[in-house]
Amino acid sequence: MAPPVHYDLTCQMLLSNIMNTANPFPMKPLLQRTLAAILMSVSLQAEAVPTAITQNGTVTGFIEKETEVFLGIPFAKPPIGELRWQPPQALETRQGTLQTTAFGPACMQFGNFYTSNDPTTFEKPYGSEDCLYLNIWKPKTAEKRPVVVYIHGGSAVHGAASFPLYNGQRLAQEMDAVFVSINYRLAFFGNLQLKALRTGDPAADSGYFALLDQIRALEWVKENISAFGGDTANVTVMGQSAGCASIWSLMRSPLASGTFDKTICLSGIPLSSTPKKQKDTAHALLANLLINDDKIAKADELESFLKSLSDNELRDYLYSKTAVEISAAGQRIPMVPGVVDGHVITTSADEPVVNAVPTLMGQTLNEAPILMLHAYGKHRYTGLWNTIHCDCDFSPRDLFNSWYDYAKFKVVGWGLNKALLRLVNDGADLLEDQNGVPVYRYNLIWDNMPEPWRSMIGVYHGLDVAFAFGNFGVDTPNFTHFTWDNSTEEEREAIHTLMAQSFKRFIETGTPNESGIHPVWPRWGESRRMLEIQ
């Protein structure tokens, strides 16, 4: 893309003046050539600054390996102050040029190794409420190329688009696509259903702010991605874990209709809950906040205390809390899925979806065990991080308080894994049988990793993300560190190539298959078979 005009014209004028033989200020030839070379270099650097004009204003990025990169582009107003627990608000037109060369903040959370590779951030407040930013990677020559929008995972309480595992540079080049990653509100900033917060606006009253953020990001892409070489008529939403569960919610929301054309959904299922569970979860947050403020002594006193407050008083109390206070009070309270509210989500998890599109689904052989390490093991993030990076011999017993706890971990993990994979099957059946759209599936079974990890957690939840992005981080600290050694480089690169090229065909044509290309992906509805990747 062309640089800002003033850079180019200034350099041209100075070069012309220096090299002009009629210059009234003659220079020695060596000095003349040196200054000309410097200005030529400045001119070329200016031309290398990628620039795009969005509906909100001009943005500039940088070049990385023949890829134009724009980081930290705002797609909505910051959801702070009175905009906390409100639907995302569209941005106004911005004056001047915005440099987008650094990631925007992660959503406020407590640090963990699914958000950052920096252990000094673990188990302490991390991020900001001001988090509605997206990132774009595009091949320099991209023109009307398919668009992929990535929604990160993290159980709806952790994660960030800035996580190094999700760097889109390599995929953008290999898929010849415009790759976008987005942040969205997490935990109780993104999901909170309370009568005291209702305003009469059905979107706000749903409490589904995370989903509304994702819809707003997709709307921004439709409005602006052509300025980055993207095809607004070919947008694929890709997500893993909670990001995949979000895709299922997008397919169940009429507000998202027309914002995407295909999905790549990794290790996630359609989920639903009940109003009672939503209320219980919100009240768990309230109880913790009030206990922390010494307003009640224990959770049993919550209902009685709430009777002494009006809705406006409770609302004012919640808005007076800092982001850190809310995040701390929400620690270890799991988020519950959405219920049908009739406006944002209009179908239940077992009904035909509103936005049925061709879908490529993935799973790993052992989804459950790594998700249960915190529940059954004795370490949180810092302890597990140290074990992951110790590069030493250890026993599974070192991660558990007793062999009995380890045995429970294995037995419960086996049962939960079977249940999770059945639910993935149910989701695929729903799309094929009730909506009639093509579904292609893979099962990652590669397990050539060191012991005792192989026996303890196997082909774990999230392993396919590293293979898909090709961001293995072999020489850098990250939570997949224990998985890799030099002997498996050829295997992992072969799997990455298979996935990246299959994804490329899928986003371009709606099928990962092409005549003469192997392996062949079976269509789920015709065979009830998956492509096994090993």
Side-chain angles (χ1 to χ4, degrees), residues 328-401:
Q331 280 284 87
R332 305 196 186 192
I333 302 175
M335 291 294 98
V336 297
V339 302
V340 174
D341 68 300
H343 182 76
V344 180
I345 297 177
T346 58
T347 63
S348 64
D350 58 356
E351 293 179 321
V353 300
V354 176
N355 305 309
V357 295
T359 295
L360 191 154
M361 297 173 61
Q363 64 190 51
T364 66
L365 185 63
N366 305 101
E367 295 279 2
I370 200 170
L371 302 174
M372 300 166 54
L373 275 177
H374 291 319
Y376 288 86
K378 61 183 180 182
H379 294 306
R380 292 288 292 169
Y381 293 104
T382 301
L384 279 173
W385 180 267
N386 292 337
T387 303
I388 286 169
H389 292 88
C390 74
D391 294 326
C392 57
D393 293 331
F394 73 96
S395 163
R397 170 69 176 81
D398 295 328
L399 295 179
F400 297 85
N401 289 315

Coordinates of all heavy atoms in Angstrom, one line a residue, residues 328-401:
A328 N -10.9 -10.2 40.9 CA -10.5 -11.0 42.1 C -11.7 -11.8 42.7 O -11.6 -12.9 43.0 CB -9.8 -10.1 43.1
A329 N -12.8 -11.1 42.7 CA -14.0 -11.7 43.3 C -14.5 -12.9 42.4 O -15.2 -13.8 42.9 CB -15.1 -10.7 43.5
G330 N -14.2 -12.8 41.1 CA -14.7 -13.8 40.2 C -13.8 -15.0 40.0 O -14.1 -15.9 39.3
Q331 N -12.6 -14.9 40.7 CA -11.7 -16.0 40.6 C -12.3 -17.4 40.9 O -13.0 -17.5 41.9 CB -10.5 -15.8 41.6 CG -9.5 -14.8 41.1 CD -8.6 -15.4 40.0 OE1 -8.9 -15.4 38.8 NE2 -7.5 -16.0 40.4
R332 N -12.0 -18.4 40.0 CA -12.5 -19.7 40.2 C -14.0 -19.9 40.2 O -14.5 -21.0 40.6 CB -11.9 -20.3 41.5 CG -10.3 -20.2 41.5 CD -9.7 -21.1 42.6 NE -8.3 -20.8 42.7 CZ -7.4 -21.6 43.4 NH1 -7.9 -22.7 44.0 NH2 -6.2 -21.3 43.4
I333 N -14.7 -18.9 39.7 CA -16.2 -19.1 39.5 C -16.3 -19.4 38.0 O -16.0 -18.5 37.2 CB -17.0 -17.9 39.9 CG1 -16.8 -17.5 41.3 CG2 -18.5 -18.2 39.6 CD1 -17.5 -16.3 41.7
P334 N -16.7 -20.6 37.6 CA -16.8 -20.9 36.2 C -17.9 -20.2 35.5 O -19.0 -20.0 36.1 CB -17.0 -22.5 36.2 CG -17.6 -22.8 37.5 CD -17.0 -21.8 38.5
M335 N -17.7 -19.8 34.3 CA -18.8 -19.2 33.5 C -19.8 -20.2 33.1 O -19.4 -21.3 32.8 CB -18.2 -18.4 32.3 CG -17.3 -17.2 32.6 SD -18.3 -15.9 33.4 CE -17.9 -16.1 35.1
V336 N -21.0 -19.8 33.0 CA -22.1 -20.7 32.5 C -22.5 -20.3 31.1 O -22.4 -19.1 30.8 CB -23.3 -20.7 33.4 CG1 -22.9 -21.3 34.8 CG2 -23.9 -19.4 33.6
P337 N -22.8 -21.2 30.2 CA -23.2 -20.8 28.9 C -24.5 -20.0 28.9 O -25.2 -19.9 29.9 CB -23.4 -22.2 28.2 CG -22.8 -23.2 29.1 CD -22.9 -22.6 30.5
G338 N -24.8 -19.5 27.7 CA -26.0 -18.6 27.6 C -27.3 -19.4 27.5 O -27.3 -20.6 27.0
V339 N -28.4 -18.8 27.9 CA -29.7 -19.4 27.6 C -30.4 -18.6 26.5 O -29.9 -17.6 26.1 CB -30.6 -19.3 28.9 CG1 -29.9 -20.0 30.1 CG2 -30.9 -17.9 29.3
V340 N -31.5 -19.2 26.0 CA -32.2 -18.5 24.9 C -32.9 -17.3 25.5 O -33.7 -17.4 26.4 CB -33.2 -19.5 24.3 CG1 -34.1 -18.7 23.3 CG2 -32.6 -20.6 23.6
D341 N -32.5 -16.1 25.1 CA -33.1 -14.9 25.6 C -34.0 -14.3 24.6 O -34.8 -13.3 24.9 CB -32.0 -13.8 25.9 CG -31.3 -13.3 24.7 OD1 -30.7 -14.2 24.0 OD2 -31.3 -12.1 24.4
G342 N -34.0 -14.8 23.3 CA -35.0 -14.4 22.3 C -34.5 -13.2 21.5 O -35.2 -12.8 20.5
H343 N -33.4 -12.6 21.8 CA -32.9 -11.5 21.1 C -31.4 -11.8 20.6 O -31.2 -11.8 19.4 CB -32.9 -10.2 21.9 CG -32.4 -9.0 21.2 ND1 -33.1 -8.4 20.2 CD2 -31.2 -8.4 21.2 CE1 -32.5 -7.4 19.7 NE2 -31.3 -7.3 20.3
V344 N -30.5 -12.0 21.5 CA -29.1 -12.3 21.1 C -29.0 -13.8 20.7 O -28.4 -14.1 19.7 CB -28.2 -12.0 22.3 CG1 -26.7 -12.3 21.8 CG2 -28.3 -10.5 22.7
I345 N -29.6 -14.7 21.5 CA -29.6 -16.1 21.2 C -31.0 -16.6 21.1 O -31.8 -16.4 22.1 CB -28.8 -16.9 22.4 CG1 -27.4 -16.5 22.4 CG2 -29.0 -18.4 22.1 CD1 -26.6 -17.2 23.5
T346 N -31.3 -17.2 20.0 CA -32.7 -17.5 19.8 C -33.0 -19.0 19.6 O -34.2 -19.4 19.5 CB -33.3 -16.8 18.5 OG1 -32.4 -17.2 17.4 CG2 -33.2 -15.3 18.7
T347 N -32.0 -19.9 19.6 CA -32.2 -21.3 19.6 C -31.4 -22.0 20.6 O -30.3 -21.5 21.0 CB -31.8 -21.9 18.2 OG1 -30.4 -21.7 18.0 CG2 -32.6 -21.2 17.1
S348 N -31.9 -23.1 21.2 CA -31.1 -23.8 22.2 C -30.0 -24.7 21.5 O -30.0 -24.8 20.3 CB -32.1 -24.7 23.0 OG -32.6 -25.7 22.1
A349 N -29.2 -25.3 22.4 CA -28.0 -26.0 21.9 C -28.4 -27.2 21.1 O -27.5 -27.7 20.3 CB -27.1 -26.4 23.1
D350 N -29.6 -27.8 21.2 CA -29.9 -29.0 20.5 C -30.9 -28.7 19.3 O -31.5 -29.6 18.8 CB -30.5 -30.0 21.4 CG -31.7 -29.5 22.2 OD1 -32.1 -28.4 22.1 OD2 -32.3 -30.3 23.0
E351 N -31.1 -27.4 19.0 CA -32.0 -27.1 17.9 C -31.2 -26.6 16.7 O -30.1 -26.2 16.8 CB -33.0 -25.9 18.3 CG -33.9 -26.3 19.4 CD -34.8 -25.1 19.9 OE1 -34.3 -24.0 19.9 OE2 -36.0 -25.3 20.1
P352 N -31.9 -26.6 15.5 CA -31.2 -26.1 14.3 C -30.7 -24.7 14.5 O -31.4 -23.9 15.1 CB -32.2 -26.2 13.2 CG -33.2 -27.3 13.7 CD -33.2 -27.2 15.2
V353 N -29.5 -24.4 14.0 CA -28.9 -23.1 14.2 C -29.5 -22.1 13.3 O -30.1 -22.4 12.2 CB -27.4 -23.1 14.1 CG1 -26.8 -24.1 15.1 CG2 -27.0 -23.5 12.7
V354 N -29.3 -20.8 13.6 CA -29.8 -19.7 12.7 C -28.9 -19.5 11.5 O -29.4 -19.2 10.4 CB -30.0 -18.4 13.6 CG1 -30.4 -17.3 12.7 CG2 -30.9 -18.6 14.7
N355 N -27.6 -19.6 11.8 CA -26.6 -19.3 10.8 C -25.8 -20.5 10.4 O -24.7 -20.7 10.9 CB -25.7 -18.2 11.2 CG -26.4 -16.9 11.7 OD1 -27.3 -16.4 10.9 ND2 -26.1 -16.4 12.9
A356 N -26.4 -21.4 9.6 CA -25.7 -22.7 9.3 C -24.8 -22.4 8.1 O -25.2 -22.0 7.0 CB -26.8 -23.7 8.9
V357 N -23.5 -22.8 8.3 CA -22.5 -22.6 7.2 C -21.6 -23.8 7.2 O -21.5 -24.5 8.1 CB -21.7 -21.3 7.5 CG1 -22.5 -20.0 7.4 CG2 -21.0 -21.4 8.8
P358 N -20.9 -24.0 6.0 CA -20.0 -25.1 6.0 C -19.0 -25.0 7.2 O -18.5 -23.9 7.5 CB -19.3 -24.9 4.7 CG -20.3 -24.2 3.8 CD -21.0 -23.3 4.8
T359 N -18.7 -26.2 7.8 CA -17.9 -26.2 9.0 C -16.8 -27.2 8.9 O -17.1 -28.4 8.5 CB -18.8 -26.4 10.2 OG1 -19.7 -25.3 10.4 CG2 -18.0 -26.5 11.5
L360 N -15.6 -26.9 9.4 CA -14.5 -27.8 9.6 C -14.3 -27.9 11.1 O -14.0 -26.9 11.7 CB -13.3 -27.4 8.8 CG -12.1 -28.4 8.7 CD1 -11.2 -28.0 7.5 CD2 -11.2 -28.4 10.0
M361 N -14.4 -29.1 11.6 CA -14.4 -29.3 13.1 C -13.1 -30.2 13.4 O -12.8 -31.1 12.7 CB -15.6 -30.0 13.6 CG -16.9 -29.2 13.4 SD -18.4 -30.1 13.9 CE -18.1 -30.4 15.6
G362 N -12.5 -29.8 14.5 CA -11.4 -30.6 15.0 C -11.4 -31.0 16.4 O -12.2 -30.3 17.2
Q363 N -10.7 -32.0 16.8 CA -10.7 -32.4 18.2 C -9.3 -33.2 18.4 O -8.7 -33.5 17.5 CB -11.8 -33.4 18.5 CG -11.8 -34.7 17.7 CD -13.0 -35.5 17.9 OE1 -14.1 -35.0 17.7 NE2 -12.8 -36.8 18.2
T364 N -9.0 -33.3 19.7 CA -7.8 -34.1 20.0 C -8.2 -35.4 20.7 O -9.4 -35.4 21.2 CB -6.8 -33.3 20.9 OG1 -7.5 -33.1 22.2 CG2 -6.4 -32.0 20.3
L365 N -7.4 -36.3 20.7 CA -7.8 -37.7 21.2 C -8.1 -37.6 22.7 O -8.9 -38.3 23.2 CB -6.6 -38.7 21.0 CG -6.9 -40.1 21.4 CD1 -8.1 -40.7 20.6 CD2 -5.6 -40.9 21.1
N366 N -7.4 -36.8 23.5 CA -7.5 -36.7 24.9 C -7.8 -35.3 25.4 O -7.0 -34.6 25.9 CB -6.2 -37.2 25.6 CG -5.8 -38.6 25.2 OD1 -4.9 -38.7 24.3 ND2 -6.5 -39.6 25.7
E367 N -9.0 -34.8 25.1 CA -9.4 -33.4 25.4 C -9.4 -33.1 26.9 O -8.9 -32.1 27.4 CB -10.8 -33.1 24.9 CG -10.9 -33.2 23.4 CD -10.4 -31.9 22.7 OE1 -10.0 -31.0 23.4 OE2 -10.5 -31.8 21.5
A368 N -9.9 -34.0 27.7 CA -10.2 -33.7 29.1 C -9.0 -33.6 30.1 O -9.0 -32.7 30.9 CB -11.2 -34.7 29.7
P369 N -8.0 -34.5 30.0 CA -7.1 -34.5 31.2 C -6.4 -33.2 31.5 O -6.3 -32.8 32.7 CB -6.0 -35.6 30.7 CG -6.8 -36.5 29.9 CD -7.8 -35.6 29.1
I370 N -5.9 -32.5 30.5 CA -5.2 -31.2 30.8 C -6.1 -30.2 31.5 O -5.7 -29.3 32.3 CB -4.5 -30.6 29.6 CG1 -3.3 -29.7 30.0 CG2 -5.4 -30.0 28.7 CD1 -2.4 -29.2 28.9
L371 N -7.4 -30.3 31.2 CA -8.4 -29.4 31.7 C -8.6 -29.6 33.2 O -9.1 -28.8 33.9 CB -9.7 -29.4 31.0 CG -9.6 -29.2 29.5 CD1 -11.0 -29.4 28.8 CD2 -9.2 -27.7 29.2
M372 N -8.2 -30.8 33.7 CA -8.5 -31.2 35.0 C -7.2 -31.2 36.0 O -7.3 -31.5 37.1 CB -9.0 -32.7 35.0 CG -10.3 -32.8 34.2 SD -10.6 -34.6 33.9 CE -10.6 -35.2 35.6
L373 N -6.1 -30.7 35.4 CA -4.9 -30.7 36.3 C -5.0 -29.8 37.5 O -4.6 -30.1 38.6 CB -3.7 -30.3 35.4 CG -3.0 -31.4 34.6 CD1 -1.8 -30.8 33.8 CD2 -2.4 -32.5 35.6
H374 N -5.7 -28.7 37.3 CA -5.9 -27.7 38.4 C -6.8 -28.3 39.4 O -6.6 -28.0 40.6 CB -6.4 -26.4 37.9 CG -5.5 -25.6 37.0 ND1 -4.1 -25.5 37.3 CD2 -5.6 -24.9 35.9 CE1 -3.5 -24.7 36.4 NE2 -4.4 -24.3 35.6
A375 N -7.8 -29.0 39.0 CA -8.8 -29.5 39.9 C -8.3 -30.7 40.8 O -8.6 -30.8 42.0 CB -10.0 -30.0 39.2
Y376 N -7.4 -31.5 40.2 CA -7.0 -32.7 40.9 C -5.5 -32.6 41.3 O -5.1 -33.4 42.2 CB -7.2 -34.0 40.0 CG -8.6 -34.3 39.9 CD1 -9.5 -33.8 39.0 CD2 -9.2 -35.3 40.8 CE1 -10.8 -34.1 38.9 CE2 -10.5 -35.6 40.7 CZ -11.3 -35.0 39.8 OH -12.6 -35.4 39.7
G377 N -4.7 -31.8 40.7 CA -3.3 -31.6 41.0 C -3.1 -30.6 42.1 O -4.0 -30.0 42.6
K378 N -1.8 -30.5 42.5 CA -1.5 -29.6 43.7 C -0.9 -28.3 43.2 O -0.6 -27.4 44.1 CB -0.6 -30.3 44.6 CG 0.8 -30.7 44.0 CD 1.6 -31.4 45.0 CE 3.0 -31.8 44.5 NZ 3.8 -32.6 45.4
H379 N -0.8 -28.0 41.9 CA -0.2 -26.8 41.5 C -1.2 -25.9 40.7 O -2.1 -26.4 40.0 CB 1.0 -27.1 40.5 CG 2.1 -27.8 41.2 ND1 2.8 -27.3 42.3 CD2 2.8 -28.9 40.9 CE1 3.7 -28.1 42.7 NE2 3.8 -29.1 41.8
R380 N -1.0 -24.6 40.8 CA -1.6 -23.7 40.0 C -0.7 -23.4 38.8 O 0.2 -24.2 38.4 CB -2.0 -22.4 40.7 CG -3.1 -22.6 41.8 CD -4.5 -22.8 41.1 NE -5.0 -21.7 40.5 CZ -6.1 -21.7 39.7 NH1 -6.7 -22.8 39.4 NH2 -6.5 -20.6 39.1
Y381 N -0.8 -22.2 38.2 CA 0.0 -21.9 37.0 C 1.5 -21.8 37.2 O 2.2 -22.4 36.4 CB -0.5 -20.6 36.4 CG -2.0 -20.7 35.9 CD1 -3.0 -20.1 36.7 CD2 -2.3 -21.4 34.8 CE1 -4.3 -20.3 36.2 CE2 -3.6 -21.5 34.4 CZ -4.6 -21.0 35.1 OH -5.9 -21.1 34.7
T382 N 1.9 -21.2 38.3 CA 3.4 -21.1 38.5 C 4.0 -22.4 38.7 O 5.1 -22.8 38.1 CB 3.7 -20.1 39.7 OG1 3.1 -18.9 39.4 CG2 5.2 -20.0 39.9
G383 N 3.4 -23.3 39.5 CA 4.0 -24.6 39.8 C 4.0 -25.5 38.6 O 5.0 -26.2 38.3
L384 N 2.9 -25.4 37.8 CA 2.9 -26.2 36.6 C 3.9 -25.7 35.5 O 4.5 -26.5 34.9 CB 1.5 -26.2 36.0 CG 0.5 -27.2 36.6 CD1 -0.9 -26.9 36.0 CD2 0.9 -28.6 36.3
W385 N 4.0 -24.4 35.5 CA 5.0 -23.8 34.5 C 6.4 -24.3 34.9 O 7.1 -24.6 34.0 CB 4.9 -22.3 34.6 CG 5.8 -21.5 33.8 CD1 7.0 -21.0 34.1 CD2 5.5 -21.1 32.4 NE1 7.6 -20.3 33.0 CE2 6.7 -20.4 32.0 CE3 4.5 -21.3 31.5 CZ2 6.8 -19.8 30.7 CZ3 4.6 -20.7 30.2 CH2 5.7 -20.0 29.8
N386 N 6.7 -24.3 36.1 CA 8.0 -24.7 36.5 C 8.3 -26.2 36.2 O 9.4 -26.5 35.7 CB 8.2 -24.5 38.0 CG 8.3 -23.0 38.4 OD1 8.6 -22.2 37.5 ND2 8.0 -22.7 39.6
T387 N 7.3 -27.0 36.3 CA 7.4 -28.4 35.9 C 7.5 -28.6 34.4 O 8.4 -29.4 33.9 CB 6.2 -29.2 36.5 OG1 6.1 -29.1 37.9 CG2 6.4 -30.7 36.1
I388 N 6.7 -27.8 33.7 CA 6.8 -27.9 32.2 C 8.2 -27.5 31.7 O 8.6 -28.1 30.7 CB 5.7 -26.9 31.6 CG1 4.3 -27.5 31.8 CG2 6.0 -26.6 30.2 CD1 3.2 -26.5 31.5
H389 N 8.8 -26.6 32.4 CA 10.1 -26.1 31.9 C 11.3 -26.7 32.6 O 12.5 -26.2 32.4 CB 10.1 -24.6 31.9 CG 9.2 -24.0 30.9 ND1 7.9 -23.7 31.3 CD2 9.4 -23.6 29.6 CE1 7.3 -23.2 30.2 NE2 8.1 -23.1 29.2
C390 N 11.1 -27.7 33.5 CA 12.3 -28.1 34.3 C 13.2 -29.0 33.4 O 14.4 -29.2 33.8 CB 11.8 -28.9 35.5 SG 11.1 -30.5 35.1
D391 N 12.7 -29.6 32.3 CA 13.5 -30.5 31.5 C 14.2 -31.5 32.4 O 15.4 -31.8 32.2 CB 14.5 -29.7 30.7 CG 13.9 -28.8 29.6 OD1 12.8 -29.2 29.1 OD2 14.4 -27.7 29.4
C392 N 13.4 -32.1 33.2 CA 14.0 -33.1 34.2 C 13.1 -34.3 34.3 O 12.0 -34.3 33.9 CB 14.2 -32.4 35.6 SG 12.6 -31.8 36.2
D393 N 13.6 -35.4 34.8 CA 12.8 -36.5 35.1 C 11.9 -36.3 36.3 O 12.3 -35.8 37.3 CB 13.7 -37.7 35.4 CG 14.5 -38.2 34.2 OD1 14.1 -37.9 33.0 OD2 15.7 -38.7 34.4
F394 N 10.7 -36.7 36.2 CA 9.8 -36.6 37.3 C 8.7 -37.6 37.1 O 8.5 -38.2 36.0 CB 9.2 -35.1 37.4 CG 8.2 -34.8 36.3 CD1 6.8 -34.9 36.6 CD2 8.6 -34.4 35.1 CE1 5.9 -34.6 35.6 CE2 7.6 -34.0 34.1 CZ 6.3 -34.2 34.4
S395 N 7.9 -37.8 38.2 CA 6.8 -38.8 38.2 C 5.5 -38.0 38.2 O 5.4 -36.9 38.8 CB 6.9 -39.7 39.4 OG 5.7 -40.3 39.7
P396 N 4.5 -38.6 37.6 CA 3.2 -37.9 37.7 C 2.8 -37.6 39.2 O 2.1 -36.7 39.5 CB 2.2 -38.9 37.1 CG 3.0 -39.7 36.1 CD 4.4 -39.8 36.8
R397 N 3.3 -38.5 40.1 CA 3.0 -38.3 41.5 C 3.5 -36.9 42.0 O 2.9 -36.4 42.9 CB 3.6 -39.4 42.3 CG 3.6 -39.3 43.8 CD 2.2 -39.4 44.4 NE 2.3 -39.3 45.8 CZ 2.4 -38.2 46.5 NH1 2.4 -37.0 45.9 NH2 2.4 -38.2 47.8
D398 N 4.5 -36.4 41.3 CA 5.0 -35.1 41.7 C 4.0 -33.9 41.5 O 4.2 -32.9 42.1 CB 6.3 -34.7 41.0 CG 7.4 -35.7 41.3 OD1 7.5 -36.2 42.4 OD2 8.2 -36.0 40.4
L399 N 3.0 -34.2 40.7 CA 2.0 -33.1 40.4 C 0.7 -33.3 41.2 O -0.2 -32.5 41.2 CB 1.6 -33.1 38.9 CG 2.7 -32.7 38.0 CD1 2.2 -32.8 36.5 CD2 3.3 -31.3 38.3
F400 N 0.7 -34.4 42.0 CA -0.5 -34.7 42.8 C -0.2 -34.9 44.3 O 1.0 -35.3 44.6 CB -1.2 -35.9 42.2 CG -1.7 -35.7 40.8 CD1 -0.9 -36.0 39.7 CD2 -3.0 -35.3 40.6 CE1 -1.3 -35.8 38.5 CE2 -3.4 -35.1 39.3 CZ -2.6 -35.3 38.2
N401 N -1.1 -34.7 45.2 CA -0.9 -34.9 46.6 C -0.7 -36.3 47.0 O -0.1 -36.6 48.0 CB -2.0 -34.2 47.4 CG -1.9 -32.7 47.3 OD1 -0.8 -32.1 47.5 ND2 -3.0 -32.0 47.1

